[in-house]
Amino acid sequence: MKKHYSWLWFDADGTLFDYNRAEAAALRNTFSSLTLPFEDSYLDVYRQINHGLWQALERQEITQAVLRYRRFELLMEAIQLTGSPEEMSSAYVEQLSICSELMDEAYEVLKALNEKSQSAIVTNGLQAVQRGRLANSTIKGFISQLIISEEVGAAKPQSAFFDAALERCGYPAKGDVLIIGDSLTSDMQGGLEYGIDTCWYNPSGVAKPDGLDIVYEIKSLHELLEIVD
């Protein structure tokens, strides 16, 4: 049975934006812009480092200011490259901000949902990246609010982040909000603990862990049209 939600809160990376493609292109272009040699194996090294640091951010162990350069500090150590992590960080953020490739069906689904609901992006991503890529994207006209952890001073899954999102959206009832995202921790666990309905975007068909009471699970964004009235 379909349900009407006045607000749909979408995660950005890996849900609306094709982060894997953007990340690969941005890293390669960063090395090129700094006239540094690049090998394909560097991408896997970077992804492992970056993933670990974003998890640490969710656990409130580091700040985004530290994350921005620390990932390149660790990358340069791992591949034995000399240079400035800060310079590489700045170049990478600039490159990533112009990569606005969407996930399959994102444009069509948002266009359809926009007829009955308002959509927001709720993201832990960096401000310069998220605002830049949304401005360059074809979905910007469908997004009523962009809530970024770096701007509100708290990250998903912290309740303070969701408080800020609720305020920005005009304090809708929690029962009128659905969060859609690919992260079991920041999106699903965060939404569950905050008391809003959750929709796990799981295109790879990963097994759902026990004890996580997700309301909906979808493999394609188009399935949202069968859920949201």
Side-chain angles (χ1 to χ4, degrees), residues 47-112:
R47 281 177 168 163
Q48 184 176 1
I49 291 169
N50 193 45
H51 179 68
L53 289 174
W54 280 107
Q55 287 186 319
L57 177 75
E58 290 181 16
R59 297 191 298 267
Q60 304 180 57
E61 295 172 358
I62 62 170
T63 64
Q64 282 171 318
V66 171
L67 183 150
R68 288 174 73 115
Y69 74 85
R70 180 60 175 161
R71 54 188 175 178
F72 293 104
E73 191 174 58
L74 293 174
L75 174 63
M76 296 176 85
E77 289 177 3
I79 64 177
Q80 299 182 337
L81 181 69
T82 57
S84 167
E86 291 81 4
E87 184 180 22
M88 184 172 285
S89 173
S90 296
Y92 178 77
V93 167
E94 181 179 354
Q95 291 293 332
L96 195 58
S97 69
I98 61 176
C99 294
S100 55
E101 295 89 347
L102 298 173
M103 300 294 286
D104 291 342
E105 305 174 337
Y107 178 87
E108 293 79 10
V109 170
L110 280 173
K111 181 180 180 181

Coordinates of all heavy atoms in Angstrom, one line a residue, residues 47-112:
R47 N 40.2 4.5 -1.9 CA 38.8 4.2 -1.5 C 38.8 3.5 -0.1 O 37.9 3.8 0.7 CB 38.1 3.3 -2.5 CG 37.6 4.1 -3.7 CD 37.0 3.2 -4.8 NE 36.2 4.0 -5.7 CZ 35.9 3.5 -6.9 NH1 36.2 2.3 -7.3 NH2 35.2 4.3 -7.7
Q48 N 39.8 2.7 0.1 CA 39.9 2.0 1.4 C 40.1 3.0 2.5 O 39.5 3.0 3.6 CB 40.9 0.9 1.4 CG 41.0 0.1 2.7 CD 42.1 -1.0 2.6 OE1 42.7 -1.2 1.6 NE2 42.2 -1.8 3.7
I49 N 41.1 3.9 2.3 CA 41.4 5.0 3.3 C 40.2 5.9 3.5 O 39.8 6.2 4.6 CB 42.6 5.8 2.8 CG1 43.9 4.9 2.8 CG2 42.8 7.0 3.6 CD1 45.1 5.5 2.1
N50 N 39.6 6.3 2.4 CA 38.5 7.3 2.5 C 37.3 6.7 3.2 O 36.7 7.4 4.1 CB 38.1 7.7 1.1 CG 37.2 8.9 1.1 OD1 37.4 9.9 1.8 ND2 36.1 8.9 0.3
H51 N 37.0 5.4 2.9 CA 35.8 4.8 3.6 C 36.1 4.7 5.1 O 35.1 5.0 5.9 CB 35.7 3.4 3.0 CG 34.5 2.6 3.6 ND1 33.2 3.0 3.5 CD2 34.5 1.5 4.4 CE1 32.4 2.1 4.1 NE2 33.2 1.2 4.7
G52 N 37.3 4.3 5.5 CA 37.6 4.2 6.9 C 37.4 5.6 7.6 O 36.9 5.6 8.8
L53 N 37.8 6.6 7.0 CA 37.8 8.0 7.6 C 36.3 8.5 7.7 O 35.9 9.1 8.7 CB 38.6 9.0 6.8 CG 40.1 8.8 6.9 CD1 40.9 9.7 6.0 CD2 40.6 9.0 8.4
W54 N 35.5 8.2 6.7 CA 34.1 8.6 6.8 C 33.4 7.8 7.9 O 32.5 8.4 8.5 CB 33.4 8.4 5.4 CG 33.7 9.5 4.4 CD1 34.5 9.4 3.3 CD2 33.2 10.9 4.5 NE1 34.5 10.7 2.7 CE2 33.8 11.5 3.4 CE3 32.4 11.5 5.3 CZ2 33.5 12.9 3.1 CZ3 32.1 12.9 5.1 CH2 32.7 13.5 4.0
Q55 N 33.7 6.6 8.1 CA 33.1 5.8 9.2 C 33.6 6.4 10.5 O 32.8 6.5 11.4 CB 33.6 4.4 9.1 CG 32.9 3.6 8.0 CD 33.2 2.1 8.0 OE1 34.4 1.7 8.3 NE2 32.2 1.3 7.8
A56 N 34.8 6.9 10.6 CA 35.3 7.5 11.8 C 34.5 8.8 12.0 O 34.2 9.2 13.2 CB 36.8 7.8 11.7
L57 N 34.2 9.5 11.0 CA 33.4 10.8 11.1 C 32.0 10.5 11.7 O 31.6 11.2 12.6 CB 33.3 11.4 9.7 CG 32.4 12.7 9.7 CD1 33.1 13.9 10.3 CD2 32.0 13.1 8.3
E58 N 31.4 9.4 11.2 CA 30.1 9.0 11.7 C 30.1 8.7 13.2 O 29.2 9.0 13.9 CB 29.5 7.8 11.0 CG 29.1 8.1 9.5 CD 28.6 6.8 8.8 OE1 28.2 5.9 9.5 OE2 28.5 6.8 7.6
R59 N 31.3 8.1 13.6 CA 31.5 7.8 15.1 C 32.0 9.0 15.9 O 32.2 8.9 17.0 CB 32.5 6.7 15.2 CG 32.0 5.4 14.6 CD 32.9 4.2 15.0 NE 34.3 4.4 14.5 CZ 34.8 3.9 13.4 NH1 34.0 3.3 12.5 NH2 36.1 4.2 13.0
Q60 N 32.1 10.2 15.2 CA 32.5 11.4 15.8 C 33.9 11.4 16.3 O 34.3 12.0 17.3 CB 31.5 11.8 17.0 CG 30.1 11.9 16.5 CD 29.2 12.3 17.7 OE1 29.4 13.3 18.3 NE2 28.2 11.5 18.0
E61 N 34.8 10.6 15.7 CA 36.1 10.4 16.1 C 37.1 11.4 15.4 O 38.1 11.7 15.9 CB 36.6 9.0 15.7 CG 35.9 7.9 16.5 CD 36.3 6.5 16.1 OE1 37.0 6.4 15.1 OE2 35.8 5.6 16.7
I62 N 36.6 12.0 14.2 CA 37.4 13.0 13.6 C 36.4 14.0 13.0 O 35.2 13.8 13.0 CB 38.2 12.5 12.4 CG1 37.3 11.8 11.3 CG2 39.3 11.5 12.9 CD1 38.0 11.5 10.0
T63 N 36.9 15.2 12.6 CA 36.1 16.2 12.0 C 36.3 16.2 10.5 O 37.2 15.6 10.0 CB 36.5 17.6 12.5 OG1 37.8 17.9 12.1 CG2 36.4 17.6 14.0
Q64 N 35.4 16.9 9.8 CA 35.5 16.9 8.3 C 36.7 17.7 7.9 O 37.3 17.5 6.9 CB 34.2 17.5 7.7 CG 33.1 16.5 7.6 CD 31.8 17.1 7.2 OE1 31.4 18.2 7.7 NE2 31.0 16.4 6.4
A65 N 37.1 18.7 8.7 CA 38.3 19.5 8.4 C 39.5 18.6 8.4 O 40.4 18.8 7.6 CB 38.4 20.6 9.5
V66 N 39.6 17.7 9.3 CA 40.7 16.8 9.4 C 40.6 15.7 8.2 O 41.6 15.4 7.6 CB 40.8 16.0 10.7 CG1 41.8 14.9 10.7 CG2 41.1 17.0 11.8
L67 N 39.4 15.2 8.0 CA 39.2 14.2 7.0 C 39.7 14.7 5.6 O 40.2 14.0 4.8 CB 37.7 13.8 6.9 CG 37.3 12.8 5.9 CD1 36.1 12.0 6.5 CD2 37.0 13.3 4.5
R68 N 39.4 16.0 5.3 CA 39.7 16.6 4.0 C 41.1 16.3 3.6 O 41.4 16.0 2.4 CB 39.4 18.1 4.0 CG 38.0 18.5 4.0 CD 37.8 20.0 4.1 NE 38.1 20.6 2.9 CZ 37.2 21.3 2.2 NH1 36.0 21.4 2.6 NH2 37.6 21.9 1.1
Y69 N 42.1 16.5 4.5 CA 43.5 16.4 4.1 C 44.1 15.1 4.6 O 45.0 14.5 4.0 CB 44.3 17.5 4.6 CG 44.6 17.5 6.1 CD1 45.7 16.8 6.6 CD2 43.8 18.2 7.0 CE1 45.9 16.8 8.0 CE2 44.0 18.2 8.4 CZ 45.1 17.4 8.8 OH 45.3 17.4 10.2
R70 N 43.5 14.5 5.7 CA 44.1 13.3 6.2 C 44.1 12.1 5.2 O 45.0 11.3 5.2 CB 43.4 12.9 7.5 CG 43.9 11.6 8.2 CD 45.3 11.7 8.6 NE 45.8 10.5 9.3 CZ 47.0 10.2 9.5 NH1 48.0 10.9 9.0 NH2 47.3 9.1 10.2
R71 N 43.0 12.0 4.4 CA 42.9 10.9 3.5 C 44.0 11.0 2.4 O 44.5 10.0 2.0 CB 41.5 10.9 2.8 CG 41.1 12.2 2.2 CD 39.7 12.2 1.7 NE 39.2 13.5 1.2 CZ 38.0 13.7 0.7 NH1 37.1 12.8 0.7 NH2 37.7 14.9 0.3
F72 N 44.4 12.2 2.1 CA 45.5 12.3 1.1 C 46.9 12.2 1.7 O 47.8 11.7 1.1 CB 45.4 13.7 0.3 CG 44.1 13.7 -0.5 CD1 43.0 14.4 -0.1 CD2 44.1 12.9 -1.7 CE1 41.9 14.4 -0.9 CE2 43.0 12.9 -2.5 CZ 41.8 13.6 -2.1
E73 N 46.9 12.5 3.0 CA 48.2 12.3 3.8 C 48.4 10.8 3.8 O 49.6 10.3 3.5 CB 48.0 12.9 5.2 CG 49.3 12.9 6.0 CD 49.1 13.6 7.3 OE1 48.2 13.2 8.1 OE2 49.7 14.6 7.5
L74 N 47.4 10.0 4.1 CA 47.5 8.6 4.2 C 47.8 8.0 2.8 O 48.5 7.0 2.7 CB 46.3 8.0 4.9 CG 46.1 8.3 6.3 CD1 44.7 7.8 6.8 CD2 47.2 7.7 7.2
L75 N 47.1 8.5 1.8 CA 47.3 8.0 0.5 C 48.7 8.2 0.0 O 49.3 7.3 -0.5 CB 46.3 8.7 -0.5 CG 46.5 8.3 -2.0 CD1 46.2 6.9 -2.2 CD2 45.6 9.2 -2.9
M76 N 49.2 9.4 0.2 CA 50.6 9.7 -0.2 C 51.6 8.8 0.5 O 52.6 8.4 -0.1 CB 50.9 11.2 0.0 CG 50.0 12.0 -0.9 SD 50.2 13.8 -0.7 CE 51.6 14.1 -1.7
E77 N 51.3 8.5 1.8 CA 52.2 7.6 2.5 C 52.2 6.2 1.9 O 53.2 5.5 1.8 CB 51.8 7.6 4.0 CG 52.1 8.8 4.8 CD 51.6 8.7 6.2 OE1 51.1 7.7 6.6 OE2 51.7 9.7 7.0
A78 N 50.9 5.8 1.6 CA 50.7 4.4 1.1 C 51.4 4.2 -0.2 O 51.9 3.1 -0.5 CB 49.2 4.1 1.0
I79 N 51.4 5.2 -1.1 CA 51.9 5.0 -2.4 C 53.3 5.6 -2.6 O 53.9 5.7 -3.7 CB 51.0 5.6 -3.5 CG1 50.8 7.1 -3.4 CG2 49.6 4.9 -3.5 CD1 50.0 7.7 -4.5
Q80 N 53.8 6.1 -1.4 CA 55.2 6.6 -1.3 C 55.4 7.8 -2.3 O 56.3 7.8 -3.1 CB 56.2 5.5 -1.6 CG 56.2 4.4 -0.6 CD 57.2 3.3 -0.8 OE1 57.7 3.2 -1.9 NE2 57.6 2.6 0.2
L81 N 54.5 8.7 -2.2 CA 54.5 9.9 -3.0 C 54.7 11.2 -2.2 O 54.1 11.3 -1.1 CB 53.2 10.1 -3.8 CG 53.0 11.2 -4.7 CD1 53.9 11.0 -5.9 CD2 51.6 11.4 -5.2
T82 N 55.7 12.0 -2.6 CA 55.9 13.2 -1.8 C 55.1 14.4 -2.4 O 54.8 14.4 -3.6 CB 57.4 13.6 -1.9 OG1 57.8 13.7 -3.2 CG2 58.3 12.5 -1.2
G83 N 54.8 15.3 -1.5 CA 54.0 16.4 -2.0 C 53.1 17.0 -0.8 O 53.3 16.6 0.3
S84 N 52.2 17.8 -1.1 CA 51.3 18.5 -0.1 C 49.9 17.8 -0.1 O 49.2 17.9 -1.1 CB 51.2 19.9 -0.5 OG 50.2 20.5 0.3
P85 N 49.6 17.2 1.0 CA 48.2 16.6 1.1 C 47.2 17.7 1.0 O 46.1 17.5 0.5 CB 48.2 16.0 2.5 CG 49.6 15.7 2.8 CD 50.4 16.8 2.2
E86 N 47.5 18.9 1.6 CA 46.5 20.0 1.5 C 46.3 20.5 0.0 O 45.1 20.7 -0.4 CB 47.0 21.2 2.3 CG 47.0 21.0 3.8 CD 48.2 20.2 4.3 OE1 49.1 19.9 3.5 OE2 48.3 19.9 5.5
E87 N 47.3 20.5 -0.8 CA 47.2 20.9 -2.2 C 46.4 19.9 -2.9 O 45.5 20.2 -3.7 CB 48.6 21.1 -2.8 CG 48.5 21.6 -4.2 CD 49.9 21.7 -4.8 OE1 50.9 21.1 -4.3 OE2 50.0 22.5 -5.8
M88 N 46.7 18.6 -2.6 CA 45.9 17.5 -3.3 C 44.5 17.5 -2.9 O 43.6 17.3 -3.7 CB 46.6 16.2 -3.0 CG 45.9 15.0 -3.8 SD 46.8 13.4 -3.6 CE 48.2 13.7 -4.7
S89 N 44.2 17.8 -1.6 CA 42.8 17.9 -1.1 C 42.1 19.0 -1.9 O 40.9 18.8 -2.3 CB 42.8 18.1 0.4 OG 41.5 18.4 0.8
S90 N 42.7 20.2 -2.0 CA 42.0 21.3 -2.6 C 41.7 20.9 -4.1 O 40.6 21.2 -4.6 CB 42.8 22.5 -2.6 OG 43.0 22.9 -1.2
A91 N 42.6 20.3 -4.8 CA 42.4 20.0 -6.2 C 41.4 18.9 -6.3 O 40.5 19.0 -7.2 CB 43.8 19.5 -6.8
Y92 N 41.3 18.0 -5.4 CA 40.4 16.9 -5.5 C 38.9 17.4 -5.2 O 38.0 17.0 -6.0 CB 40.7 15.8 -4.5 CG 39.7 14.7 -4.4 CD1 39.7 13.7 -5.4 CD2 38.7 14.6 -3.4 CE1 38.8 12.6 -5.4 CE2 37.8 13.5 -3.4 CZ 37.9 12.6 -4.4 OH 37.0 11.5 -4.4
V93 N 38.8 18.3 -4.2 CA 37.5 18.8 -4.0 C 37.0 19.6 -5.2 O 35.8 19.5 -5.5 CB 37.5 19.7 -2.7 CG1 36.2 20.5 -2.6 CG2 37.7 18.8 -1.5
E94 N 37.8 20.4 -5.8 CA 37.5 21.1 -7.0 C 37.0 20.2 -8.1 O 36.0 20.4 -8.8 CB 38.6 22.0 -7.4 CG 38.3 22.8 -8.7 CD 39.5 23.7 -9.1 OE1 40.5 23.8 -8.4 OE2 39.4 24.4 -10.1
Q95 N 37.7 19.1 -8.3 CA 37.4 18.2 -9.4 C 36.1 17.5 -9.1 O 35.2 17.3 -9.9 CB 38.5 17.1 -9.5 CG 39.8 17.7 -10.1 CD 39.6 18.1 -11.6 OE1 38.8 17.6 -12.3 NE2 40.4 19.1 -12.0
L96 N 35.9 17.1 -7.8 CA 34.7 16.3 -7.4 C 33.4 17.2 -7.5 O 32.4 16.7 -7.9 CB 34.8 15.7 -6.0 CG 33.9 14.7 -5.6 CD1 33.9 13.4 -6.5 CD2 34.2 14.2 -4.2
S97 N 33.6 18.5 -7.3 CA 32.4 19.4 -7.3 C 31.8 19.5 -8.7 O 30.7 20.0 -8.8 CB 32.8 20.7 -6.7 OG 33.7 21.4 -7.6
I98 N 32.6 19.2 -9.7 CA 32.1 19.4 -11.1 C 31.6 18.0 -11.6 O 31.1 18.0 -12.8 CB 33.1 20.0 -12.0 CG1 34.3 19.2 -12.1 CG2 33.4 21.4 -11.5 CD1 35.4 19.7 -13.1
C99 N 31.7 17.0 -10.9 CA 31.2 15.7 -11.3 C 29.8 15.4 -10.8 O 29.6 15.1 -9.6 CB 32.2 14.6 -10.8 SG 33.8 14.6 -11.5
S100 N 28.8 15.6 -11.6 CA 27.5 15.5 -11.2 C 26.7 14.4 -11.9 O 25.5 14.5 -12.1 CB 26.7 16.9 -11.5 OG 26.9 17.2 -12.8
E101 N 27.4 13.3 -12.2 CA 26.7 12.1 -12.8 C 25.7 11.6 -11.8 O 26.0 11.4 -10.7 CB 27.8 11.1 -13.2 CG 28.7 11.5 -14.3 CD 30.0 12.1 -13.7 OE1 30.0 12.5 -12.6 OE2 30.9 12.3 -14.5
L102 N 24.6 11.2 -12.4 CA 23.5 10.7 -11.5 C 23.4 9.2 -11.6 O 23.9 8.5 -12.5 CB 22.1 11.3 -12.0 CG 22.0 12.8 -11.9 CD1 20.7 13.2 -12.6 CD2 22.0 13.3 -10.5
M103 N 22.8 8.6 -10.5 CA 22.5 7.2 -10.5 C 21.4 7.0 -11.6 O 20.6 7.9 -11.9 CB 22.0 6.7 -9.2 CG 23.0 6.9 -8.0 SD 24.5 5.9 -8.2 CE 23.8 4.3 -7.8
D104 N 21.3 5.7 -12.1 CA 20.2 5.4 -13.0 C 18.8 5.8 -12.5 O 18.6 5.5 -11.3 CB 20.3 3.9 -13.4 CG 21.5 3.5 -14.2 OD1 22.1 4.5 -14.7 OD2 21.9 2.4 -14.2
E105 N 18.0 6.4 -13.3 CA 16.6 6.7 -13.0 C 16.4 7.9 -12.0 O 15.3 8.3 -11.7 CB 15.9 5.5 -12.4 CG 15.9 4.2 -13.3 CD 15.3 3.0 -12.6 OE1 15.2 3.0 -11.4 OE2 14.9 2.1 -13.3
A106 N 17.5 8.5 -11.5 CA 17.4 9.5 -10.5 C 16.6 10.7 -11.0 O 15.7 11.2 -10.3 CB 18.8 10.0 -10.0
Y107 N 16.9 11.1 -12.2 CA 16.2 12.3 -12.8 C 14.7 12.0 -13.0 O 13.8 12.8 -12.5 CB 16.8 12.7 -14.1 CG 16.1 13.9 -14.7 CD1 16.4 15.2 -14.4 CD2 15.0 13.7 -15.6 CE1 15.7 16.3 -15.0 CE2 14.3 14.7 -16.2 CZ 14.7 16.0 -15.9 OH 14.0 17.1 -16.4
E108 N 14.4 10.9 -13.6 CA 13.0 10.6 -13.9 C 12.2 10.3 -12.6 O 11.0 10.8 -12.5 CB 12.9 9.3 -14.8 CG 13.5 9.4 -16.1 CD 15.0 9.4 -16.2 OE1 15.6 9.1 -15.2 OE2 15.6 9.7 -17.3
V109 N 12.8 9.7 -11.6 CA 12.0 9.4 -10.4 C 11.8 10.7 -9.6 O 10.7 10.9 -9.1 CB 12.8 8.4 -9.6 CG1 12.2 8.3 -8.2 CG2 12.8 7.0 -10.2
L110 N 12.8 11.5 -9.5 CA 12.6 12.8 -8.8 C 11.6 13.7 -9.5 O 10.8 14.4 -8.8 CB 14.0 13.6 -8.7 CG 14.9 13.1 -7.6 CD1 16.2 13.8 -7.7 CD2 14.3 13.3 -6.2
K111 N 11.6 13.7 -10.8 CA 10.6 14.5 -11.5 C 9.2 14.0 -11.2 O 8.3 14.8 -11.0 CB 10.9 14.4 -13.0 CG 9.9 15.2 -13.9 CD 10.3 15.0 -15.4 CE 9.3 15.9 -16.2 NZ 9.6 15.7 -17.7
A112 N 9.0 12.7 -11.2 CA 7.7 12.1 -10.9 C 7.3 12.4 -9.4 O 6.1 12.8 -9.2 CB 7.7 10.6 -11.2

